Amino acid sequence: MISNGPRPEGFGCYQVTIRNGLRRSAADAFLRPALRRSNVRLETGGWVSKIRFDGDAPWGWNMSTAAAAIRRGDREVILCGGAVNSPQLLQLSGLDRHRP
């Protein structure tokens, strides 16, 4: 099976998100439906520089935007920076593998 060549041929088992016979992105399949909920908010266009803690419990984050701000989560906060920025954010916040 050659799947990445100029003429893909053969068959294989692939992990893809399909609905109604069409491929869908993770944003279309999972994020956009969640954004319809009243307790979900998406913020873009900023840079999170630190997660704020009260003891061991995270309560908010520092975010650099046009107007720098400290944001507070009501119950849960999900931050996603990808494969590079998520671990970097945890380290900048003082969480790393050496913390007990």
Side-chain angles (χ1 to χ4, degrees):
M1 178 179 81
I2 302 171
S3 60
N4 291 328
R7 291 182 312 204
E9 58 183 67
F11 64 92
C13 184
Y14 299 97
Q15 286 187 323
V16 294
T17 305
I18 297 177
R19 184 172 184 193
N20 297 328
L22 300 172
R23 282 185 74 172
R24 300 184 74 196
S25 69
D28 286 336
F30 304 106
L31 180 62
R32 286 190 180 84
L35 289 175
R36 292 186 204 120
R37 297 171 51 178
S38 63
N39 63 341
V40 175
R41 184 177 73 224
L42 175 66
E43 292 191 22
T44 62
W47 185 266
V48 176
S49 58
K50 184 176 184 178
I51 301 171
R52 311 282 292 189
F53 288 91
D54 181 15
D56 285 340
W59 61 265
W61 62 98
N62 292 6
M63 185 170 183
S64 301
T65 60
I70 295 177
R71 303 277 204 260
R72 176 177 287 275
D74 293 331
R75 291 177 53 185
E76 293 178 311
V77 175
I78 299 173
L79 299 170
C80 180
V84 174
N85 292 120
S86 291
Q88 179 189 31
L89 176 59
L90 294 174
Q91 288 179 333
L92 290 172
S93 301
L95 299 174
D96 59 21
R97 60 184 165 163
H98 301 295
R99 184 177 178 179

